Amino acid sequence: MLRWVRTQLEQAYVRHLDRAIEDGPTHVAIIQDGNRRYARQQGGEAPDGHRAGAETTEQVLNWCQELGIEELTIYAFSTENFERPPEEREPLFDLIESKLYELADADRVHDNGMRIRAVGQVDRLPERLREAVDYAEERTRGHDSFNLNVALAYGGRAELLGAARDVLRAVADGDLAAGDVDVDAIDARLAGQPVRDVDLIIRTGGDERTSNFLPWHANGNEAAVFFCAPYWPEFSKPDFLRAIRTYESREESWRHTRTERAVALVRAVAETELAEARTVSARLREQLSTTAARELNAELERHDNGQGQRESEAGYAD
């Protein structure tokens, strides 16, 4: 009876969170931490935890598609993971390999237009895993409705270092002018980069750090971060929805701040030159929500009316 009540309460809570979500993130990145600790807690070995975690990953794919999220990046194997003993690495490679083949051939992947790509130093992986990556990427290459990036042999510092070296070589070879080194030049040299900047990073397992994960696409975009205690195999839909709400709350706060700054700027400019204020206002509207744009228009209209009143009074005085 107690289990039934708990299930009903959880389902009601999920429905409440679902209704509360309005405009979620486009790209979510997840650090799937706690598989080994979960296995030890259950009296098993590390491979048992990784297999349980793979089931959670399957569920997260479903939740992303339910919420209209367009891109998901999962941290499956870091460059630091190469330091783990072979008896732990090899079963993990086996699991990732089998899941890549399974996903590449799954009807739901093709029905939902999911594209699978690897992010990281794939050339460092065992040949059998590289073949699985090639197979999954080729089988889903034509899809563009949802992107699943699997971070394999990935390290953020290594990624940025590789891009910097490529830029230096291009400048030295005369293929790129030093003055043309910009954000786009770096973007173009990040191998296997995500399609979109990261909006939200989720980390399970209790640690509050982002562990060298997608620094260019997440930190550069000032992504929201959600840390939670459950180990990855225990990560639930309520946890996922709470992460989405964290992102939305942060975005709502930012929108409010941007609106206040935009109105203050228009007010300051309007005090000296109304025509210039109109120009500034037109540019700012493109970066604001509909509600914020209305607030900006109201501020400009207030100054319009004020100027008209002043001109009228001046004419009367003449």
Side-chain angles (χ1 to χ4, degrees), residues 213-234:
F213 189 36
L214 299 173
W216 181 267
H217 295 93
N219 296 342
N221 193 43
E222 298 190 28
V225 182
F226 179 78
F227 300 113
C228 60
Y231 299 140
W232 179 242
E234 300 170 320

Side-chain angles (χ1 to χ4, degrees), residues 216-278:
W216 181 267
H217 295 93
N219 296 342
N221 193 43
E222 298 190 28
V225 182
F226 179 78
F227 300 113
C228 60
Y231 299 140
W232 179 242
E234 300 170 320
F235 187 71
S236 65
K237 190 171 184 180
D239 295 321
F240 187 66
L241 293 177
R242 279 194 291 268
I244 303 301
R245 284 295 298 139
T246 296
Y247 162 80
E248 288 193 329
S249 297
R250 205 283 298 268
E251 284 299 294
E252 183 179 344
S253 174
W254 274 29
R255 281 195 296 269
H256 181 68
T257 300
R258 284 195 292 267
T259 301
E260 288 184 334
R261 289 176 178 173
V263 170
L265 177 60
V266 167
R267 183 180 295 127
V269 175
E271 294 295 335
T272 57
E273 182 55 63
L274 194 55
E276 180 64 21
R278 291 194 186 97

Side-chain angles (χ1 to χ4, degrees), residues 5-307:
V5 171
R6 187 183 296 115
T7 300
Q8 295 303 309
L9 288 173
E10 182 173 306
Q11 290 175 351
Y13 183 49
V14 167
R15 288 193 296 271
H16 167 71
L17 289 172
D18 265 327
R19 287 193 296 269
I21 290 173
E22 297 176 358
D23 186 19
T26 300
H27 183 183
V28 175
I30 302 180
I31 302 172
Q32 308 157 288
D33 197 16
N35 289 321
R36 292 185 297 169
R37 284 175 286 165
Y38 173 81
R40 287 195 296 268
Q41 186 183 73
Q42 302 298 314
E45 301 295 330
D48 301 315
H50 292 307
R51 283 190 291 270
E55 295 177 8
T56 301
T57 303
E58 294 271 358
Q59 291 299 317
V60 170
L61 285 172
N62 294 332
W63 302 335
C64 284
Q65 291 173 344
E66 288 173 9
L67 294 173
I69 293 167
E70 298 177 18
E71 188 157 2
L72 172 68
T73 301
I74 56 174
Y75 209 169
F77 191 88
S78 71
T79 49
E80 290 79 10
N81 290 156
F82 282 111
E83 298 174 6
R84 294 182 180 178
E87 59 270 21
E88 185 176 328
R89 280 201 319 265
E90 294 305 315
L92 181 54
F93 288 150
D94 291 340
L95 178 63
I96 297 171
E97 176 188 350
S98 65
K99 286 298 178 182
L100 284 171
Y101 281 117
E102 181 182 319
L103 278 173
D105 291 331
D107 289 339
R108 72 184 183 106
V109 167
H110 300 284
D111 292 342
N112 293 320
M114 182 191 299
R115 183 177 180 183
I116 302 170
R117 301 186 310 160
V119 178
Q121 301 174 44
V122 178
D123 57 324
R124 295 183 60 183
L125 298 170
E127 182 178 359
R128 70 181 192 282
L129 190 47
R130 295 199 304 270
E131 290 174 354
V133 166
D134 290 341
Y135 181 81
E137 290 185 337
E138 187 57 37
R139 284 278 285 141
T140 62
R141 191 175 302 279
H143 300 329
D144 60 4
S145 296
F146 179 85
N147 288 290
L148 171 62
N149 307 311
V150 184
L152 293 168
Y154 178 83
R157 285 184 175 180
E159 182 183 45
L160 292 177
L161 180 60
R165 286 172 173 166
D166 286 346
V167 166
L168 288 174
R169 278 193 292 267
V171 172
D173 293 342
D175 298 327
L176 179 68
D180 292 334
V181 177
D182 55 13
V183 170
D184 291 336
I186 301 297
D187 265 337
R189 289 165 174 81
L190 294 173
Q193 61 176 328
V195 174
R196 303 164 184 82
D197 284 339
V198 177
D199 299 309
L200 169 66
I201 288 183
I202 299 171
R203 179 170 188 147
T204 61
D207 283 343
E208 297 188 0
R209 51 195 173 91
T210 56
S211 292
N212 199 19
F213 189 36
L214 299 173
W216 181 267
H217 295 93
N219 296 342
N221 193 43
E222 298 190 28
V225 182
F226 179 78
F227 300 113
C228 60
Y231 299 140
W232 179 242
E234 300 170 320
F235 187 71
S236 65
K237 190 171 184 180
D239 295 321
F240 187 66
L241 293 177
R242 279 194 291 268
I244 303 301
R245 284 295 298 139
T246 296
Y247 162 80
E248 288 193 329
S249 297
R250 205 283 298 268
E251 284 299 294
E252 183 179 344
S253 174
W254 274 29
R255 281 195 296 269
H256 181 68
T257 300
R258 284 195 292 267
T259 301
E260 288 184 334
R261 289 176 178 173
V263 170
L265 177 60
V266 167
R267 183 180 295 127
V269 175
E271 294 295 335
T272 57
E273 182 55 63
L274 194 55
E276 180 64 21
R278 291 194 186 97
T279 301
V280 171
S281 178
R283 292 173 182 169
L284 290 172
R285 283 192 201 99
E286 299 175 359
Q287 305 172 30
L288 299 173
S289 65
T290 302
T291 302
R294 282 199 295 268
E295 188 172 339
L296 197 62
N297 288 339
E299 179 64 25
L300 191 58
E301 185 177 347
R302 187 177 71 81
H303 282 281
D304 271 332
N305 294 337
Q307 184 182 58

